[in-house]
Amino acid sequence: MSFLDGLTSPAQIRDLSLAELEELAAEIRRELVATVAVTGGHLASNLGVVELTLALHRVFDTPRDRIVWDVGHQAYTHKLLTGRRERFCTLRQADGLSGFPKREESEYDCFDVGHASTSISAALGLAAARDAQGGTEKVVAVIGDGSLTGGLAFEGLNQAGHLKKDLIVVLNDNEMSISPNVGAISSFLSRKMTSDLFVRFKKETQNLLTHLPGFGRDLVNLARRAEDSLKGFLTPGMLFEAFGFDYVGPIDGHNLAELEETLRNVSRLKGPSLVHVLTKKGKGYAPAEVNPSAFHGVGPFNAETGEIAKNPKAAPSYTSIFGRTLVELAEEDPRLIAITAAMIEGTGLEAFAKRFPERFFDVGIAEQHAVTFAAGLACHGRRPVVAIYSTFLQRAYDNVLHDVCLQNLPVIFAMDRGGLVGADGPTHHGVFDYSYLRHIPNLTFMVPRDEVQLRRALATALAHEGPFALRYPRGESLGLKLPAKITPAPIGQGEKLREGKDGVFLALGTLVGEALAAAEELAGEGIEMAVVDACYLKPLDRTLLVAEAQRTGFVVTCEENALPGGFGSAVLELFEETAVTARVMRIGLPDAFVEQGTQQELRARHGIDAAGIARRVRAALGRPRQSAAGIAG
C-alpha cells in the first residue's frame, strides 16, 4: 500500500498511526532519492527533515497556520505533502516545480525564499499582520543552523523577543554538535517544561509567591534563576532566552512521537518560542549520510549506488579553474587572502583552504561581514579575494560601496555563477551584477570570456591598486589549454576578434562566444558582422568601441545580464558622451525575473544564444534568412 498515492493534502496524514507515519516517511525518502537522482537538487538536507515536516503538518493546521522555510531548499517533503506529488518529477525543470517554496505555486507556500536567514523576519511580519487583523493562526519559521550564522536571523530574533508576538522558531540543527547524553536529558526536560501541567503549576506558584508579604518577589526571582541555571547547564538555550524566547530542546528530529508532543506543547505557549531539533543530513540514504556535502546540491546520480554522474570528457569547471589559479597566485604573493561565505566547495576554495589555512576565512552566511572584513584586511596591506556567488553579493551592496569603494581599497570580488545558473531559478541567477556594480566609483569590472581570460583577470585584479570585480559562469569551461604563465591584462582594453562591414557585435563574457557563432551564421547569409570582446564593463575601451560604431554605423550589444543599467546601457551612455550617432540594438535579459531551466534552454528562450542573436540582426536589417546556396545562386 502506498500512502503517497492520492495524497493531496496534509489533512490526510493527521489520522495516521505512528507505524503508518513511519512507513510514509520511508516512502517519502524513496521518492526523494528516485526523483533527485534524475532531476538533481538538494537531497541531503531534505532527507534530514522528513519527520520534522510530517510533524509540523500534523500539529499545525496548514495552510491556515503558516510555515516559513528558511532558504527553502529543504522543502521537498513539504511539496509532496501539499498536493504536488504528481508534478514532483518536474522539480527544477523548465516550467516545472520550483526547487524552493513559491507563493504562486501553492497556498501552502506563504513566503518565497531562496536566500538564507530570512525566515524569522518574514515570519515575524506575518505574525504582526495577524495580530493587527485579530487573527489566531500560528506562524512557524523553520531555520537551519547554517542560516543562523547570518546576521539577519539575529536581527529577526532580536525584534521578535522585543515584540513578544506569538511566534515559533524551529531550529533545524543537523551538525549534531551536542552530545547524545546531554541531548537526551535536555529533550526530556524540555518536553516536561512545556507541558500544560508544568506551565500551569509554574504560573500558579509564581502568583502565590508574588503575594507573599516581604520576600515573595525574592523567591520568584530565585526560582527563575534556578530554572534558568538547570536549562542553561543542560542546553544551549541561554542565548535564545536572552533574546526573549522560551527555549525548548534539543529534540530528536527523527522521533515522530517526541516531535509531535513537543510541538503541540509549544503551540499552546504565548510569546516567542524556539524549538531546537537535531537532525541528520542524508538520513535513510547511506551515500548521503556518509557524504552529505556531496549530496547537498547534487546533479543526477545512480540511485542504487549513489554514484554521481560525471562526464569523463567534460572540461574543468570555471569554479575549479578559479580555485586552482588562486592557489598558484597565492604561492607567489603572500598578501593574498581568500574569503568565502559558507561556500567553500561552491566557490572552489577547498584546495586553497588546505594549502593556506592561515590565509583562508569562511565567515558563514554573512556576506556583509565578509566584504567589510576584507576591507579591514586591505587597510593593513593584505589582498583579499572575496569569492562569492553573484546573487549573494547583492546582500552586501552597501558594504561594497561604503566600506571598499569609497576608500578605494584593493579588494577583489570574484563572482561565481555570473549570468544564468539554470535549475535553481530566479533566486540564484546572477543577472544583476552589471547593473548594481558598474555605477560605483573606483570599481574596475572585468568579464572574462573563457578560462584563459579568467586566469588573466585574477592576475590583473591582484596587480590593480583599487577595488576589482570579475564574474564568471556556472558550469564547465571551453577546454582551452591554459598557459603556464599568467600575465595581467591592460585595464580597460577590449579586443577585436572578427572583422565585418555591416555592423559590430560588442559582447561581454559568455556572450562573446555566442556573438562569434552568430557572426559565423550570418556570414553564410551575406551579412558581415565584426565581433569585439569589450573585456571590461568598467572602464569601457572608449577608443575601440567608438571607432567600431563610427566605422559600421550599426552596433549590437550582447550581455547575459538584465538590460536595465547593464552593458548596453553603458555603451549608450558612452555614445551620448561622444556624440556617436550609430544605430544601437541591445540584446540581453528582460526587465523581469527569469525562471528556471537549463542554461541552454533559458538562453534560447530569451534570445541571447547564437540563433537568437542572429535572428534579431536579420530582423533589424530587414534580411530574411537565406542559405549560403541561395546566396551563391
Side-chain angles (χ1 to χ4, degrees):
M1 173 184 175
S2 169
F3 289 100
L4 268 179
D5 289 345
L7 182 61
T8 59
S9 164
Q12 295 170 258
I13 71 171
R14 290 171 189 150
D15 294 327
L16 296 180
S17 68
L18 185 59
E20 289 171 328
L21 281 174
E22 288 173 348
E23 283 187 51
L24 175 58
E27 189 178 349
I28 288 171
R29 285 194 167 92
R30 290 192 294 271
E31 183 88 358
L32 292 175
V33 171
T35 300
V36 178
V38 175
T39 66
H42 294 92
L43 183 62
S45 53
N46 280 284
L47 291 170
V49 297
V50 173
E51 288 83 4
L52 174 58
T53 308
L54 287 168
L56 286 167
H57 278 292
R58 276 169 61 87
V59 170
F60 297 101
D61 182 22
T62 54
R64 179 180 178 274
D65 292 337
R66 312 293 187 87
I67 301 175
V68 182
W69 300 88
D70 206 276
V71 184
H73 65 302
Q74 77 285 51
Y76 294 1
T77 299
H78 165 77
K79 288 177 183 273
L80 286 170
L81 297 178
T82 53
R84 287 170 273 187
R85 197 279 176 93
E86 292 302 315
R87 296 187 63 214
F88 198 62
C89 60
T90 70
L91 185 71
R92 304 174 76 248
Q93 309 300 297
D95 302 316
L97 287 181
S98 170
F100 306 93
K102 294 193 74 170
R103 295 169 65 211
E104 66 181 32
E105 193 176 282
S106 171
E107 63 179 335
Y108 291 90
D109 298 354
C110 62
F111 195 80
D112 286 16
V113 287
H115 289 192
S117 311
T118 64
S119 62
I120 299 172
S121 297
L124 180 59
L126 289 169
R130 170 203 63 201
D131 292 353
Q133 296 169 7
T136 59
E137 68 271 17
K138 300 295 182 182
V139 181
V140 182
V142 183
I143 184 169
D145 56 310
S147 290
L148 206 60
T149 63
L152 178 59
F154 285 92
E155 292 173 24
L157 285 171
N158 186 52
Q159 194 191 16
H162 171 70
L163 293 179
K164 302 298 182 186
K165 299 290 183 184
D166 287 351
L167 172 69
I168 299 169
V169 175
V170 176
L171 171 57
N172 171 35
D173 182 353
N174 52 41
E175 288 298 317
M176 303 300 284
S177 58
I178 300 168
S179 69
N181 289 337
V182 172
I185 296 169
S186 186
S187 169
F188 171 79
L189 279 174
S190 293
R191 281 182 288 141
K192 298 311 176 189
M193 285 181 172
T194 57
S195 68
D196 285 342
L197 179 62
F198 182 85
V199 171
R200 190 165 62 251
F201 170 77
K202 187 167 69 172
K203 285 185 176 179
E204 290 175 356
T205 302
Q206 182 174 319
N207 285 335
L208 175 64
L209 292 175
T210 301
H211 288 89
L212 289 176
F215 56 88
R217 292 196 178 277
D218 291 337
L219 287 176
V220 170
N221 291 332
L222 180 62
R224 282 176 178 165
R225 286 197 297 271
E227 181 189 348
D228 289 345
S229 296
L230 178 62
K231 290 170 70 177
F233 177 73
L234 295 170
T235 75
M238 292 183 72
L239 171 65
F240 302 108
E241 297 275 3
F243 275 109
F245 277 71
D246 283 327
Y247 172 85
V248 181
I251 300 297
D252 181 353
H254 302 295
N255 185 320
L256 276 162
E258 188 175 331
L259 279 168
E260 287 194 33
E261 179 187 358
T262 303
L263 289 172
R264 288 190 197 283
N265 287 338
V266 169
S267 71
R268 292 189 283 267
L269 297 179
K270 297 298 181 182
S273 303
L274 185 138
V275 183
H276 187 174
V277 177
L278 301 180
T279 61
K280 182 178 179 63
K281 290 186 81 170
K283 175 75 172 177
Y285 183 58
E289 287 189 14
V290 171
N291 192 356
S293 293
F295 286 88
H296 171 72
V298 65
F301 62 94
N302 185 313
E304 294 295 323
T305 65
E307 183 179 358
I308 299 171
K310 292 181 180 178
N311 180 0
K313 297 181 180 179
S317 69
Y318 282 100
T319 300
S320 66
I321 290 171
F322 162 77
R324 166 185 160 184
T325 304
L326 206 62
V327 170
E328 292 178 30
L329 293 171
E331 295 282 5
E332 302 295 326
D333 192 337
R335 301 173 302 164
L336 198 154
I337 305 288
I339 302 168
T340 190
M343 298 295 290
I344 302 175
E345 293 86 1
T347 55
L349 290 176
E350 307 101 310
F352 190 101
K354 185 176 181 180
R355 175 68 183 85
F356 304 106
E358 74 288 352
R359 293 160 62 185
F360 171 76
F361 297 93
D362 181 355
V363 302
I365 302 175
E367 294 86 359
Q368 291 174 287
H369 165 65
V371 172
T372 303
F373 174 59
L377 286 164
C379 278
H380 208 282
R382 302 296 92 186
R383 285 303 175 93
V385 177
V386 182
I388 199 164
Y389 289 6
S390 168
T391 186
F392 297 143
L393 189 62
Q394 294 164 184
R395 311 183 82 180
Y397 172 83
D398 181 64
N399 308 77
V400 172
L401 189 154
H402 183 272
D403 300 332
V404 175
C405 294
L406 186 62
Q407 301 185 78
N408 200 27
L409 294 172
V411 174
I412 300 167
F413 300 103
M415 292 180 288
D416 203 327
R417 271 63 167 180
L420 297 165
V421 299
D424 282 333
T427 59
H428 283 62
H429 292 315
V431 297
F432 300 107
D433 50 45
Y434 290 4
S435 307
Y436 72 74
L437 288 178
R438 77 171 182 87
H439 58 266
I440 303 178
N442 293 332
L443 181 71
T444 296
F445 195 150
M446 188 174 182
V447 190
R449 67 177 178 265
D450 56 39
E451 58 267 47
V452 174
Q453 296 304 312
L454 170 58
R455 285 164 63 82
R456 290 194 78 191
L458 278 168
T460 306
L462 193 58
H464 182 64
E465 296 296 333
F468 198 104
L470 60 132
R471 68 118 91 160
Y472 44 98
R474 178 183 183 273
E476 65 181 82
S477 63
L478 303 183
L480 303 178
K481 183 178 180 180
L482 301 177
K485 186 177 181 181
I486 311 172
T487 55
I491 297 291
Q493 182 174 310
E495 183 178 359
K496 190 172 182 180
L497 303 176
R498 182 185 177 106
E499 294 288 349
K501 60 181 176 56
D502 296 318
V504 59
F505 288 124
L506 305 181
L508 273 179
T510 51
L511 289 206
V512 172
E514 301 293 346
L516 284 167
E520 187 69 27
E521 181 179 329
L522 291 167
E525 303 169 25
I527 302 172
E528 295 293 336
M529 295 290 293
V531 178
V532 168
D533 177 2
C535 297
Y536 289 85
L537 174 67
K538 184 180 182 180
L540 295 174
D541 187 336
R542 299 168 69 91
T543 301
L544 177 61
L545 271 55
V546 167
E548 285 298 302
Q550 291 174 330
R551 183 181 67 82
T552 65
F554 178 43
V555 174
V556 181
T557 65
C558 304
E559 61 188 302
E560 195 164 316
N561 192 83
L563 283 172
F567 172 57
S569 296
V571 171
L572 286 173
E573 291 165 12
L574 170 64
F575 290 172
E576 185 271 332
E577 292 170 9
T578 53
V580 170
T581 58
R583 179 185 180 187
V584 178
M585 180 169 68
R586 296 179 303 143
I587 293 178
L589 294 168
D591 184 13
F593 291 107
V594 177
E595 292 301 322
Q596 66 199 32
T598 66
Q599 290 166 300
Q600 293 78 12
E601 287 172 335
L602 296 175
R603 287 176 186 138
R605 178 175 292 187
H606 292 283
I608 63 170
D609 62 348
I613 293 170
R615 186 167 56 247
R616 290 283 302 278
V617 170
R618 285 190 209 99
L621 296 178
R623 304 272 288 272
R625 182 169 188 169
Q626 300 180 46
S627 66
I631 295 171

